Amino acid sequence: MKTNNVILETATKVILFIILLFSVYMFFAGHYEPGGGFIGGLMASGAIVLLLIAYDLKTVRKILPFDFKKVTALGLLFAAGTAAGGLFFDKPLLTHWFTYVYPPILGKMSLHTAVIFDTGVFLVVVGVTMTIIQTIGESE
Amino acid sequence: MNSLITLPLLIPLFTAIILVFFNKNVTVQRWIATIGSLLTLAAAVWLSATVYTQGIQTMDLSNWQAPFGITLVSDMLSSILVVTTSLIGFVCLLYSFRSIGVEREKHYYYPVFFFLILGVNGAFTTGDIFNMFVFFEVMLMASYVLLVLGGTKIQLRETIKYLLVNVISSGLFVIAVAYLYSVVGTLNMAHISVRLNELGQSGIVTVIAVLFLIVFGIKGAIFPLYFWLPGAYYAPPAPIMALFGALLTKVGVYSITRTYTLFFTQDIGYTHGLLEILSIITIIIGVIGAIAYFDVKKIIIYNIIVAVGVILFGVATFTTESLTGSVFYLIHDMIIKAALFLLIGIMIKITGTSNLREMGGLINRYPGLAWTYFVAALALAGIPPLSGFLGKILIVRAGIDAGNYWGSGVVLLSSLLVLFSVMKIFMNGFWGKAREYKQQEKVPVRWLLTAPVILTICAVLYGLGSEALYPIISTAAETLSNPEIYIKAVLKE
Amino acid sequence: MEILMSLLIGVIFMSATYLMLSKSLLRIIVGTGLLSHGVHLLLLTMGGLKRGAAPLLGQQAEAYTDPLPQALILTAIVISFGITALFLVVAYRSYQELGTDNMELMRGKEGNE
Amino acid sequence: MSLLHLAIIAPFILAIFVPSLHKALPKIHTGWFLLPLPIVLFSYFLSFLPQIIRGETTMETLNWIPSLGINFSARVDGLGLLFSLLITGIGALVVLYSIYYLSKEKEKLNQFYVYLLLFMGAMLGVVLSDNMVVLYGFWELTSFSSFLLIGYWNHRERSRYGAQKSMLITVFGGLSMLGGMILLYLMTGTFSISETIAMAATIYGHELFIPALICILLGAFTKSAQFPFHIWLPDAMEAPTPVSAYLHSATMVKAGIYLVARLTPVFALSGLWVWLVAGFGILTLFWGSFSAVKHNDLKGILAYSTISQLGLIMSLLGLGAAAIHYPAVEAGFYTVAVSAAVFHLINHATFKGSLFMMVGIVDHETGTRDIRKLGGLMSIMPITFTIAVIGSFSMAGLPPFNGFLSKEMFFTGMIRAQEIGFFNMETLGLIFPIVAWVASVFTFLYSMIIVFKTFTGKYQPEKLEVKPHEAPLGMLISPIILVSLVVVIGLFPNIVAPLINSVMASILPSLVAEGMKFDVHIYHWHGFTPELFMTIGVIVVGILLYKFMPRWTGIYNRMPEKFSLNSAYDNGLAGIQKGANRFTNAYMTNSIRTYLLYIFTFLILSLGTTLIVKNAFVLDTANVANIHAFELVLVIIIAIGSVSILFVKSRMTSIILLGSVGYAVSLFYAIFRAPDLALTQLVIETVSVALFLLAFYHLPKVNKNEEHMRFKMGNAVISIGVGVVVSLIALSAHSSKAFDSISQYYIENTYKKAGGENMVNVILVDFRGFDTLFEIAVLAIAALGIFSLIKLRLTRGKEQG
């Protein structure tokens, strides 16, 4: 997958940014509107795939020097950690805690442990998709 | 609030996650795995003791009262199954250290191994029918990976078949849950039981019951749904074979037991009658398979099917006594099957073949292996005072008491052919003229042998110490035959 | 609608079954994909269709559609995705290793004595 | 744990130490470490004798599984004591004999003595257990120790064959016996033998009574080698001779006799019991003695002789059981059969034990047991000859040896069979004395063959592998002790009478309860009774037959080997294995398609049948949502899309079709108010299609053969069936909604308690967050799997271990 198309590369950079932003939006919207960690994660990895198409595996590896399997594990750790967190407060597993804060200017905001859990989901999805795509890509 | 119930799930989960970070360093992985496995076992034993002294343990996850959240339920049955699973996991792990090979170890063998244990423990512990599906998938996904890890020809070929069958059975699982949800509008198992009992005898529920039997029957390998099993279990290396043989089908058996005691008790004549017929045919067909081959793997594999039939015959009889027998037999079979698979694994390692016709005379150089095998074989056949006999006696006694003479006779006589099949291995593999094998030197088996020896000792103690176990097992059977106890504990009515 | 959907699901299951019975590995995997669509639609249908607004409280509706089956389907979709991915890679590898995608040529005869 | 339990367990405890003793002191023959044990145990059991003769029994209970009524209860009564004395007494002699018989240099003595000790302990357990389950356990243990001993020289094909045969037959019997015991339990509610006996009268007539009786007898008959189960015993002779003398003649094979004697009080009320035990006994007696004559192997002759003698004892027990139908006053007339049985049991152990040891000596000193090669050894081995003469003459029933006395009593018992006034004995009872006489003729005959073909006639040193000479003294001690007993009991039979009395009290307790006192007196001279004439007849005819043997032995060849029980066993076993192999291979085609066909067919049949039988199909059209036109269009698109995949040939097209079905499904989700689903499905479908293309991108074009996809009728029928069943159940399930869904709770609490507005997402991360946690775990495993699958390629042909 080697394409040295300058236009594509430039366009990719822009689109990539937009998609990543959108994926973050989707991720945070999840609790209130359609969206969530899963969709967000898929979007983000979609963006990275785009990067792959524009450049090649090696370049992407340079830009994102992660072992995506470890990203997956990290995501699981987040999710499982949030889940187990409840135990330390003598609550059942996965008990969430949330509150609303009203900082000036920004208005009503919610703080929710579910977000951390969802971050885990996000990371796992990114990790998994990227692992799969990288592995298959390398084998070819 | 007792968090104990979550530990047999969380410890393997975290162990698996941590192991992913250390995939390059085999030694560190082994240590982490050992510690994780021992902790799981300890937690499971502790949980079991708590269940025994304080009754059924539950946890409403995310602090949503049942039936709205997911509830974890550890009754006596599920907690002793978790103990057994953790024990077998630990032992197979020990065996793996010297047999699975560095290559596999570096390619996420251990994390996936722990995911498998997690899935199995989860399926035993969950009190929510859809969550059970999720744990089934964890377990299955881990089993696909373990089965195919290494990517040899036979592994790939059999993995495809195994995958396909299980994809279908998972699909059927979800539609069964969907049908059930349509009728009763809930997913919590205790709540389902309450609503089904309120509903009384209903045609559609009976149909759903049969569908559940098919779903779990495919996993549990009952007639006529077991065809995938001999091929799939033939492919992987010994410790994986042992893990599969001891655990995976038993999850299916457990699920049938659970649903056929908790949910579908309205039309026993039909549903349990069907189960009874199928279980008897399962025994017969399994026994025929076990005596048909001169291949050590095949012989033990078909013996799995026999045992499934025996356990389910007890479930189908559906009296407290028969259920006690089934639970006794279930635990016994998990332990002894793991031991046997590991033992034949060592035989294969020494001789380089699984064909009995090419073996012989192993007893002279490997007496410890031979005698461990001999004892394990007798335990499998249910010779007192080893582990298998009590379950079998109870199952047969209850069967006859319920008027099922033929079925009980089949259970009893199956022991003879089971014995014949495993003694065939003893007489052709260990006895007879020693042969020339690829490896001329004596293969060091002491470490490998530790694993099956531990299990065989457990089997012996299990039989001798039946009195100590009896209250535990009968508590488990009591809960099965009297779902009210389970329901009360979960819904806290 | 539920009746119509039930019939449609029947058709999907039928096609999926037929595909899974074929020799070609690709068709089999396509069959499993179809099967999961059928399963998910069935799950949705069993919860009752169009009983109210989408389960978003922002809608301020009188009644909402049953959100539970939707959540279950979401879980199921993700899981089937994982399995399909693995299945595809297993298929790909076994084609490399065994040189065929014909299931009838993947029988094997180990230990049949 | 009482001393009694310790006595039973002692052999097992010693067995644990034998391997290390063997290793630590290789210069001392391991047998010497064993020898004290049976001697000590023998004297220990002797100490019970006075109290047993007084009519007292001892019972000690060790709890094992009291919750299920399974306890290790040990009980010593007359019957148990007699057997314990035999086991330990003969055991001591056999161990002593084996020390000289088995070379400490060549043999794996550690194994041998462990097996022997296992057997000794197991056998003591069998005869002293009052609990049936424990008895069963020990019973099987005797089978397995016998299995190991027969297979002791396991590099020999014949040894393995014999071991397997004996194991299969005796374990079959054991299981059947277990079945019988379970049936008894269901009638009585106890596993205790003594309690069962106490309840004997109440269970007679129960519907399980006859099945229990048959099951128990199967156990007894297989163990005691009764016709037609006797075929294992001759092959068991592959074991070293001390073992044959001990297990396969004096003790283990008598376990069946023990069982029959022990349970006579339970079952003897039934005529079936009397007939079966006596009938099979007499048949075995005849067949064994008749078959013994044709053998050339001394051990073969002794094996058949043992079978025959076991039949003799069995038939006596059967006929004697009839006595309990009589009031105590008359019963004495019939109990003579029982006393004969017990007496002969003792005598048989003495003379047969000595004969086996004698054969072992001959084998050891000449290198053969074939009577065609032997002959003229009388002068070379005079002591052995004397032993042979005494043993054989006793077996043949010649005075003044003990065998004569029990043979006379045996005839008495048989003659009295006709007097039993029921069970059709008055008409058919005549069979017994006639068959008994004929069998005795053959017994006489083979006894003579043993002595005279071996020790007289022509000495043929050229046919022998080694130059024979008399055996060492150590080897002779044991048989000499046994033949001395033969003579002593023969001369003073009444020294064992008190023991016989107490044994009879165990076998016929109901008569004791009625006040009967057994008082056996054994005489040499009864006057000119029918028994005496029968004995004379046996001797005369026997001598004639011996003289003219070559003239009539041709009849043995008339019986074709094909129809023998042995070949039935061999062919049966081979046939079962071959049949099982063919059968299993026939349906286990390794083709996944076949397996799926089985599974789907079962699915359709079972669900369809249930739908019909349970009348489960219901259709409720009231509670359904309306249909919009575009929804209909969408339905049609999906239906056509999924069906058309079946007919496309190109891979690409089918992948694209699958993708379009997926997209259409996501439209459905949108319509059905599931925005999250629609979104997810959309993205997932895209990724899936990409993956499909990636995976199949590199596959070369499939060859034409595969391209050619014919429409398969069978597959189509199955597929339609699956579709129909799924639809029908869906319709019924939807029409049978019986409860409101729990989801109202989510709708109410999503905001208030969970702090969210998207219910689906809140369910995913909160209400059912646990599902999500493990759903992503599934994904993670899949990723690890895919990675390893592509990176790790162990392409070695066979991956083992």
Side-chain angles (χ1 to χ4, degrees), chain D residues 347-366:
Chain D
N347 297 342
H348 179 250
T350 55
F351 66 69
K352 190 56 67 64
S354 65
L355 282 175
F356 264 110
M357 291 176 182
M358 177 277 289
V359 169
I361 291 171
V362 170
D363 189 8
H364 205 262
E365 301 304 324
T366 66

Side-chain angles (χ1 to χ4, degrees), chain D residues 639-718:
Chain D
I640 291 174
S642 56
V643 173
S644 53
I645 300 180
L646 312 187
F647 299 100
V648 298
K649 286 179 183 171
S650 130
R651 285 175 173 168
M652 199 60 93
T653 324
S654 52
I655 292 171
I656 290 170
L657 274 175
L658 177 68
S660 49
V661 170
Y663 290 126
V665 169
S666 66
L667 276 181
F668 257 131
Y669 291 146
I671 293 170
F672 294 142
R673 323 279 195 264
D676 281 272
L677 280 183
L679 214 58
T680 313
Q681 176 70 29
L682 213 61
V683 184
I684 288 274
E685 201 56 43
T686 315
V687 180
S688 300
V689 169
L691 275 179
F692 261 102
L693 292 174
L694 264 179
F696 282 89
Y697 185 73
H698 288 268
L699 303 193
K701 268 264 177 280
V702 272
N703 60 43
K704 276 183 190 147
N705 212 0
E706 290 169 69
E707 192 85 30
H708 187 68
M709 290 176 304
R710 269 177 303 143
F711 178 74
K712 286 219 181 70
M713 201 55 209
N715 290 5
V717 171
I718 296 285

Side-chain angles (χ1 to χ4, degrees), chain B residues 157 161 181 294 298 357, chain C residues 66 106-107 110 112-113:
Chain B
R157 202 177 62 212
K161 300 175 189 170
Y181 178 74
F294 261 85
K298 283 256 164 109
R357 294 210 168 91
Chain C
D66 187 348
M106 292 193 198
R107 287 195 177 195
E110 283 82 4
N112 268 1
E113 264 184 76

Side-chain angles (χ1 to χ4, degrees), chain B residues 10 23 53 62 86 129 132 140 225 239 250 256 266 273 294 316 324 332 353 358 361 398 403 406 410 444 482 487 491:
Chain B
L10 287 184
N23 70 309
T53 50
S62 314
S86 310
I129 194 73
M132 185 188 257
L140 286 173
L225 308 163
K250 301 307 181 297
I256 294 177
Q266 299 82 25
F294 261 85
T324 312
H332 141 77
T353 174
E358 294 165 18
W406 289 112
V410 168
N482 189 3
I487 293 168
L491 299 179

Side-chain angles (χ1 to χ4, degrees), chain B residues 432-446:
Chain B
K433 280 210 176 66
R435 291 176 194 252
E436 305 274 307
Y437 301 116
K438 275 184 211 149
Q439 285 152 296
Q440 284 298 316
E441 301 91 61
K442 193 168 184 264
V443 180
V445 293
R446 184 169 286 182

Side-chain angles (χ1 to χ4, degrees), chain B residues 62 64 68 104 107 128 131 150 152 161 179 181-183 185 195 226 267 270 292-293 420 424 432 464 467, chain D residues 64-67 160 164 577 581 585 587 590 610 614 726 733 738 740-742 746 766 768 771 788 794 799:
Chain B
S62 314
W64 299 108
F68 303 110
R104 284 196 174 94
H107 285 86
D128 184 284
N131 191 238
T152 60
K161 300 175 189 170
Y179 292 145
Y181 178 74
S182 177
V183 176
R195 287 193 164 179
Y226 63 89
D267 192 2
Y270 191 85
Y293 294 105
F420 172 54
K424 199 153 97 176
L464 286 174
E467 178 65 18
Chain D
W64 179 23
I65 317 175
S67 309
R160 297 200 299 274
Q164 184 180 45
Q577 290 198 68
N581 187 278
N585 279 340
Y587 72 85
N590 279 321
T610 314
K614 290 289 155 190
V726 169
D740 287 332
S741 163
I742 51 169
Y746 304 127
D766 197 342
R768 298 186 67 87
D771 279 349
S788 308
L794 301 171
E799 180 62 25

Side-chain angles (χ1 to χ4, degrees), chain B residues 394-449:
Chain B
L394 287 172
I395 290 171
V396 171
R397 200 163 85 181
I400 298 174
D401 209 13
N404 193 334
Y405 304 123
W406 289 112
S408 312
V410 168
V411 171
L412 210 52
L413 275 187
S414 71
S415 307
L416 178 68
L417 293 173
V418 163
L419 185 72
F420 172 54
S421 70
V422 286
M423 278 300 157
K424 199 153 97 176
I425 297 181
F426 187 76
M427 290 198 305
N428 292 286
F430 292 105
W431 278 3
K433 280 210 176 66
R435 291 176 194 252
E436 305 274 307
Y437 301 116
K438 275 184 211 149
Q439 285 152 296
Q440 284 298 316
E441 301 91 61
K442 193 168 184 264
V443 180
V445 293
R446 184 169 286 182
W447 176 276
L448 291 178
L449 197 54

